[in-house]
Amino acid sequence: MAIHVFDNDEYRPPVWKSYLYQLQQEAPHPRRVTCTCEVENRPKYYGREYHGMISREEADHLLSVAEGSYLIRESQRQPGTYTLALRFGNQTRNFRLYYDGKHFVGEKRFESIHDLVTDGLITLYIETKAAEYIAKMTINPIYEHVGYTTLNREPALKKPAPVTRDTPDGKEPHGDDSGLEQRVHTFRGPHWCEYCANFMWGLIAQGVKCADCGLNVHKQCSKMVPNDCKPDLKHVKKVYSCDLTTLVKAHNSKRPMVVDMCIREIESRGLKSEGLYRVSGFSDLIEDVKLSFDRDGEKADISVNVYEDINIITGALKLYFRDLPIPVITYDAYPRFIEAAKLAEPDERLEALHEALKLLPPAHYETLKYLMAHLKRVTQNEKDNLMNAENLGIVFGPTLMRAPDLDAMTALNDIRYQRQVVESLIKNEDILF
């Protein structure tokens, strides 16, 4: 399917290509071949799909029942090592199987053998059926039409940025911001590549995500994306719910304008207001402020002439932070902040928080720094507003940080540590930032 290039001033939504998605739906489903007898010394992390030390020929016979059938056997040639035997394309394929807390045969790591096999069958099926199609995916890219392109249309073939799993320790959040930082990412639900418009197949780690602008692409397509990513302002349709980095890059600013404008308004007339940030404003008027920012951007009028109650402005600011797709304290950095809060020794906690702050992208760091300085000023008016660092920690803990894919009980237990993180950031704002 051809992707037509339109005039720069004419934005058209991209046409997502469904061919690879359809292939994923057609891929064989896993069929576990269980062992009918008890096997001695079965590793505790394998189930009934483990057949012990059987030969390749025996495995081949057991798997001949259907496509997608699989079992695990111990190698006869190398006892103590394990092989995943999988039926695909009317033949048995054997993969050395590893476990380090998760199961893997290559780069991807899985919680269960079933998920590993599901992902493997999808990949084998798509790469077998669509090898030529995949090789040509980067022809006719849609990248310039999805809202991440630079305003000056320079050729895209630049040196590809490294793809990493984690942000390296010691990364300065306010350092050079010219490179594109991409990370292997697991997308929940169907996602399409924003470079080639094709489906991102697989169960986990289907592609990479730019930590700066939020661009989602296949790993192979990431090599074609320019390093100087910057969203095109005319394609950024709203302020709330927009990725924080995307918004500040589009407006060429350090922080989102909604943060600057709300804090300026609050400090000009609300620092002494009792219960500041704790007292809720009228929800319909908070929503009205949100719509005003989405519609008018920097021209939004949030003055006392329009919104007399300062709690409407504080409510709008808190709503902005809650609506962020990636919280101010990012999912990647979240565990390090929680670990820091659990430290009993104050100096150790401060040092751990200082290191955790280095993991934040520049826009997130600048926003958090500005907000903490503001909240420090709020606490300096505690005599009037009755809001100290602990109270503000209770309000802003779950607003600025959310647990990434944790079960409900763990997330509930984390709430007190979220409060402690924000409380410490406020109290030590002058030292940490």
Side-chain angles (χ1 to χ4, degrees):
M1 183 186 298
I3 299 294
H4 300 286
V5 178
F6 300 100
D7 182 83
N8 284 350
D9 293 330
E10 183 183 4
Y11 173 65
R12 302 284 183 86
V15 178
W16 305 112
K17 304 172 187 178
S18 61
Y19 176 54
L20 297 180
Y21 176 74
Q22 291 167 353
L23 286 183
Q24 174 160 313
Q25 300 301 101
E26 297 169 7
H29 295 288
R31 296 171 179 264
R32 184 172 73 149
V33 176
T34 58
C35 185
T36 55
C37 57
E38 287 298 322
V39 180
E40 291 186 4
N41 301 320
R42 181 178 71 193
K44 62 182 180 180
Y45 39 84
Y46 296 140
R48 297 301 297 273
E49 69 276 2
Y50 179 73
H51 287 249
M53 193 178 286
I54 62 173
S55 66
R56 284 184 174 228
E57 291 74 23
E58 289 176 280
D60 188 52
H61 175 72
L62 290 168
L63 296 176
S64 61
V65 291
E67 283 281 279
S69 299
Y70 71 94
L71 58 82
I72 297 171
R73 61 182 179 85
E74 185 176 3
S75 172
Q76 291 181 328
R77 295 177 183 175
Q78 295 178 287
T81 64
Y82 304 98
T83 298
L84 172 67
L86 175 65
R87 191 74 174 181
F88 180 80
N90 294 319
Q91 60 179 324
T92 298
R93 305 195 179 204
N94 295 281
F95 304 90
R96 175 70 67 85
L97 188 60
Y98 301 91
Y99 181 80
D100 63 356
K102 291 188 177 181
H103 304 278
F104 62 101
V105 297
E107 288 184 357
K108 296 183 179 183
R109 283 165 163 72
F110 299 84
E111 297 290 345
S112 69
I113 293 294
H114 183 273
D115 285 352
L116 187 156
V117 174
T118 301
D119 187 85
L121 288 169
I122 290 169
T123 301
L124 286 168
Y125 188 79
I126 287 179
E127 292 183 353
T128 300
K129 293 281 187 179
E132 187 177 349
Y133 183 91
I134 292 170
K136 297 179 179 179
M137 279 196 314
T138 55
I139 298 174
N140 294 325
I142 61 156
Y143 173 72
E144 293 191 349
H145 299 280
V146 294
Y148 298 94
T149 182
T150 52
L151 291 170
N152 50 352
R153 313 279 187 195
E154 295 179 352
L157 292 175
K158 299 186 178 182
K159 182 181 178 182
V163 176
T164 59
R165 290 187 179 275
D166 300 296
T167 305
D169 287 340
K171 172 180 178 276
E172 289 297 333
H174 42 287
D176 177 50
D177 193 28
S178 59
L180 182 68
E181 185 186 353
Q182 298 169 340
R183 304 177 190 176
V184 174
H185 190 76
T186 293
F187 298 94
R188 305 299 178 190
H191 271 72
W192 272 256
C193 175
E194 291 169 326
Y195 183 83
C196 72
N198 281 289
F199 179 66
M200 302 173 76
W201 67 89
L203 208 60
I204 68 166
Q206 304 95 330
V208 298
K209 186 181 188 75
C210 176
D212 289 328
C213 69
L215 183 72
N216 304 320
V217 292
H218 293 112
K219 191 172 181 180
Q220 59 266 50
C221 290
S222 68
K223 300 171 184 176
M224 310 296 290
V225 177
N227 283 0
D228 58 344
C229 61
K230 178 181 176 182
D232 193 327
L233 182 56
K234 68 174 178 285
H235 295 167
V236 177
K237 301 297 184 184
K238 56 186 177 180
V239 172
Y240 280 69
S241 303
C242 178
D243 175 72
L244 196 156
T245 300
T246 299
L247 188 67
V248 300
K249 286 203 167 201
H251 290 271
N252 193 28
S253 60
K254 277 189 173 185
R255 298 173 299 273
M257 93 284 283
V258 62
V259 175
D260 282 4
M261 290 174 64
C262 285
I263 287 179
R264 281 200 302 268
E265 192 66 26
I266 293 163
E267 295 200 349
S268 71
R269 60 183 173 100
L271 283 179
K272 297 184 184 298
S273 177
E274 184 175 331
L276 190 67
Y277 286 112
R278 179 178 55 78
V279 176
S280 299
F282 189 47
S283 59
D284 282 358
L285 291 178
I286 291 172
E287 188 67 23
D288 190 51
V289 174
K290 170 185 174 179
L291 294 175
S292 180
F293 274 115
D294 283 341
R295 182 183 63 245
D296 304 324
E298 294 174 346
K299 296 179 181 178
D301 186 357
I302 58 172
S303 68
V304 67
N305 298 328
V306 182
Y307 304 104
E308 184 178 354
D309 183 3
I310 197 63
N311 298 310
I312 294 167
I313 309 304
T314 60
L317 181 60
K318 289 186 293 182
L319 179 61
Y320 171 75
F321 290 131
R322 287 198 301 270
D323 277 359
L324 286 172
I326 300 174
V328 174
I329 293 177
T330 62
Y331 294 123
D332 288 343
Y334 180 92
R336 294 285 289 274
F337 279 91
I338 295 297
E339 289 166 12
K342 292 178 179 179
L343 296 173
E345 175 58 42
D347 288 343
E348 289 182 9
R349 188 187 309 123
L350 278 182
E351 181 59 32
L353 284 172
H354 179 70
E355 292 302 311
L357 285 167
K358 292 180 180 179
L359 300 179
L360 297 179
H364 289 249
Y365 176 87
E366 289 294 336
T367 301
L368 187 63
K369 176 183 177 181
Y370 189 70
L371 177 64
M372 291 303 110
H374 163 64
L375 295 181
K376 185 69 168 285
R377 290 189 288 273
V378 171
T379 64
Q380 290 167 354
N381 288 271
E382 181 188 353
K383 184 178 178 180
D384 298 299
N385 61 38
L386 307 181
M387 296 299 290
N388 57 27
E390 183 179 356
N391 294 335
L392 291 168
I394 293 170
V395 172
F396 278 94
T399 302
L400 298 177
M401 52 196 306
R402 300 193 292 273
D405 298 326
L406 295 180
D407 60 84
M409 186 58 67
T410 305
L412 194 62
N413 291 335
D414 277 0
I415 290 176
R416 65 178 175 135
Y417 297 117
Q418 293 171 357
R419 172 185 63 76
Q420 290 170 8
V421 166
V422 175
E423 182 180 347
S424 294
L425 291 176
I426 295 170
K427 287 181 176 178
N428 301 283
E429 169 268 333
D430 55 335
I431 300 172
L432 290 171
F433 293 96

